[in-house]
Amino acid sequence: NGDGVGDLKGITSRLDYLADLGVDVVWLSPVYKSPQDDNGYDISDYQDIDPLFGTLEDMDELLAEAHKRGLKIVMDLVVNHTSDEHAWFQASRDKDDPHADWYWWRPARPGHEPGTPGAEPNQWGSYFGGSAWQYDPKRGEYYLHQFSRKQPDLNWENPEVRKAVYKMMNWWMDRGIDGFRMDVITLISKRLDGHGRLPGEIDSELSEGEMGEEGYTDASPFCSDGPRLDEFLAEMRREVFEGREGYMNVGEAPGITPARNEHVTDPKNGELDMLFLFDHVGIDQEGSKWNTVPFEVKNLRARLADQQEAVKNAGWASLFFCNHDQPRVVSRWGDDADRESRELSAKAFGMLLHMHRGTPYIYEGEELGMTNAHFTTLEQYRDLESINAYRQRVEEAKCQSAESMMAALALIGRDNARTPMQWDASRYAGFTAPDAATEPWIGVNPNHVEINAAEEFDDPGSVYSFYKKLIAMR
Ligand code: TEU
């Protein structure tokens, strides 16, 4: 609609392109009501569409048009956390409200003035910078947020939380969606000590992990693949999916090993159909995400071999290199220096993706060989993960130089994947009208003049045609 942001109607208008490419299912990143602190992964109303993207009626039209073409739509389920603007969280800020125990609230550390530095319940850091605990003056306590402070973690130990999530999921399944991609679903079960306390909490038996270079400890050993994950996933399947047909569910699984993947995706355990594992997309980082190390083919081969071995007898694999959190594989691990090397390496990764055991997932524009953005200034970035990391590592902790951080952002920042889809060679690549009153929300890659769907669609030698052949072969 010319406001520089993608719309549901825009996706509906491009379904023929996807049907021609031959994909079966479209994974839609969150389009629910959201303050957009983390590009919609901070949801303030699960059962409404944000006006930025359209209306529930537009969603119904997208579903109907997709189903007409034999395409399925899975929605992004973000239930490890909500937005702090969600009604549940606002209610939870009152200790006497029935929602009081729907989030991870903890008092200040004894002997410390609430709200002052060092008074946090423990020293965990957030994935998006700073402490994982935010003080709320109204309640007089801290709440846990593994991601931004506007994304408070839900307390899945509380059966009322689980019941409300399943109710919402059934509402969407009854509306006609075909399943979910489940955001950081492995984080919903956290490791507690015998008294139900989190690590580092007052006299908790659990340590809270080692101190990192940014001045915080790492929560992930205690907040991924916790002891009740299998129980929660099996309960979710019983409460939402039992008796339904033709759906699929894939869980995003930071912290899960290939061996655990086999258990979770083995149908006899009644948990999830598939998981996205992370071990292969970490091979060019050491310790911090922003401490990049050279890519080596043998490391990718070893990680993919482990994942394939683990599903040799049971379970299933998800095969991906690209998504909205990962940079463009042709720039990251291929070679986008000139047209020939870009096309050849894009095709090589496309073949690697489709010729393994598992379900291949391709990210918008990957089938065109779209490249990283190659941004050069911090102002070009939009992602709070990148901007916060720059501030924290370069300006606060001073553990990385500006030059090294800008190079890391250009290589693996999430915005590399988020530049507008390149439909044609026009001013804004067909993402919005060339004479649109408003610029796209993030810069269009200048190379859209030669890398775009219009250019590749009928070219038998294009990356697009190669992906189309691979998909047809599968
Ligand atoms: O991603 C969680 C996650 O693991 C990524 O943030 C990853 O840790 C980071 O980008 C380094 O690769 C999911 C969503 O995919 C992401 O877009 C959200 O920002 C995040 O959860 C919070 O909902």
Side-chain angles (χ1 to χ4, degrees):
N1 61 4
D3 68 356
V5 176
D7 308 316
L8 290 176
K9 282 191 174 307
I11 298 172
T12 303
S13 76
R14 298 288 189 177
L15 288 175
D16 288 333
Y17 168 82
L18 291 173
D20 182 83
L21 179 57
V23 299
D24 310 290
V25 182
V26 180
W27 153 24
L28 198 52
S29 280
V31 289
Y32 316 96
K33 260 217 169 62
S34 162
Q36 299 298 323
D37 187 55
D38 178 23
N39 285 81
Y41 282 92
D42 48 313
I43 296 168
S44 54
D45 183 346
Y46 288 100
Q47 294 178 215
D48 199 359
I49 301 296
D50 195 284
L52 259 183
F53 306 118
T55 64
L56 276 170
E57 291 65 38
D58 294 337
M59 187 67 222
D60 293 338
E61 180 192 41
L62 171 56
L63 287 170
E65 289 303 316
H67 292 159
K68 257 187 225 162
R69 295 163 173 84
L71 292 167
K72 291 179 184 271
I73 303 273
V74 303
M75 299 279 274
D76 212 315
L77 181 76
V78 187
V79 289
N80 170 68
H81 47 271
T82 68
S83 164
D84 64 339
E85 297 181 27
H86 195 291
W88 294 345
F89 182 77
Q90 288 305 314
S92 182
R93 297 175 68 197
D94 170 359
K95 277 186 185 170
D96 303 324
D97 185 282
H99 295 83
D101 188 32
W102 280 45
Y103 294 84
W104 293 89
W105 290 101
R106 292 294 188 275
R109 192 173 280 264
H112 288 261
E113 183 57 33
T116 60
E120 294 82 7
N122 71 25
Q123 301 175 87
W124 285 348
S126 146
Y127 280 108
F128 293 162
S131 167
W133 297 95
Q134 176 63 33
Y135 183 63
D136 176 42
K138 178 180 177 194
R139 175 149 169 163
E141 291 188 323
Y142 289 81
Y143 63 86
L144 174 67
H145 60 89
Q146 292 188 73
F147 296 93
S148 89
R149 60 176 61 113
K150 286 185 69 61
Q151 293 172 291
D153 278 50
L154 276 166
N155 172 14
W156 272 72
E157 301 295 320
N158 183 337
E160 293 309 309
V161 167
R162 305 202 300 270
K163 219 183 286 178
V165 168
Y166 304 151
K167 184 164 177 257
M168 173 271 290
M169 293 174 73
N170 276 311
W171 184 85
W172 274 110
M173 292 302 290
D174 294 344
R175 201 169 184 107
I177 72 168
D178 303 292
F180 294 96
R181 173 268 184 182
M182 301 186 184
D183 189 61
V184 289
I185 200 66
T186 47
L187 306 191
I188 60 176
S189 170
K190 290 147 170 82
R191 221 157 250 103
L192 306 172
D193 71 10
H195 311 283
R197 283 168 305 201
L198 287 160
E201 267 198 85
I202 315 315
D203 63 32
S204 157
E205 292 120 36
L206 295 174
S207 76
E208 61 167 293
E210 81 233 33
M211 181 54 70
E213 59 188 350
E214 299 179 21
Y216 298 96
T217 54
D218 177 7
S220 59
F222 306 98
C223 290
S224 53
D225 197 9
R228 298 185 69 185
L229 181 65
D230 297 305
E231 173 199 343
F232 292 160
L233 292 178
E235 180 185 66
M236 179 191 282
R237 179 176 282 270
R238 282 195 308 278
E239 296 296 324
V240 180
F241 298 103
E242 213 131 77
R244 293 184 189 271
E245 296 287 320
Y247 61 84
M248 68 157 259
N249 289 311
V250 54
E252 184 197 27
I256 278 267
T257 61
R260 280 283 293 142
N261 173 67
E262 180 190 13
H263 176 88
V264 174
T265 60
D266 183 342
K268 75 173 185 324
N269 296 322
E271 295 184 25
L272 289 178
D273 302 313
M274 290 173 266
L275 291 175
F276 288 132
L277 300 187
F278 276 66
D279 47 350
H280 65 298
V281 288
I283 58 173
D284 51 7
Q285 303 147 36
E286 216 157 72
S288 157
K289 163 171 184 171
W290 309 107
N291 181 25
T292 59
V293 294
F295 165 68
E296 294 190 50
V297 172
K298 66 177 170 48
N299 294 338
L300 178 61
R301 185 187 180 287
R303 294 288 69 75
L304 292 181
D306 289 352
Q307 292 178 12
Q308 291 290 300
E309 276 301 304
V311 292
K312 192 169 55 181
N313 305 317
W316 194 242
S318 299
L319 306 166
F320 76 96
F321 297 128
C322 297
N323 62 37
H324 65 293
D325 291 334
Q326 300 300 329
R328 298 272 178 185
V329 69
V330 69
S331 303
R332 180 187 199 175
W333 294 336
D335 177 353
D336 68 1
D338 57 62
R339 177 176 183 139
E340 189 194 13
S341 51
R342 177 176 57 74
E343 288 188 343
L344 281 176
S345 52
K347 290 174 181 176
F349 279 105
M351 183 155 60
L352 195 53
L353 196 67
H354 288 83
M355 295 294 114
H356 271 108
R357 175 178 167 79
T359 297
Y361 290 74
I362 56 180
Y363 176 65
E364 65 173 43
E366 176 188 342
E367 77 283 358
L368 301 176
M370 274 178 66
T371 70
N372 274 359
H374 299 300
F375 289 151
T376 54
T377 67
L378 194 61
E379 292 65 36
Q380 289 174 291
Y381 289 96
R382 299 288 178 272
D383 178 15
L384 84 167
E385 178 189 53
S386 296
I387 295 164
N388 292 359
Y390 184 96
R391 299 245 182 288
Q392 178 155 294
R393 295 179 65 79
V394 175
E395 297 171 357
E396 287 150 29
K398 298 191 180 0
C399 58
Q400 188 160 5
S401 72
E403 186 193 12
S404 157
M405 190 64 197
M406 289 309 291
L409 290 178
L411 179 67
I412 59 166
R414 302 194 300 181
D415 284 320
N416 281 301
R418 301 178 179 185
T419 59
M421 175 69 183
Q422 295 169 193
W423 295 107
D424 60 40
S426 69
R427 184 174 175 206
Y428 298 129
F431 176 71
T432 187
D435 58 354
T438 316
E439 294 266 319
W441 68 282
I442 188 169
V444 175
N445 195 316
N447 68 20
H448 74 278
V449 292
E450 75 255 0
I451 304 172
N452 63 67
E455 188 70 30
E456 298 193 29
F457 198 75
D458 294 318
D459 172 359
S462 68
V463 178
Y464 171 87
S465 298
F466 193 76
Y467 264 73
K468 190 171 167 179
K469 272 187 226 144
L470 287 168
I471 294 168
M473 200 184 291
R474 282 298 301 259

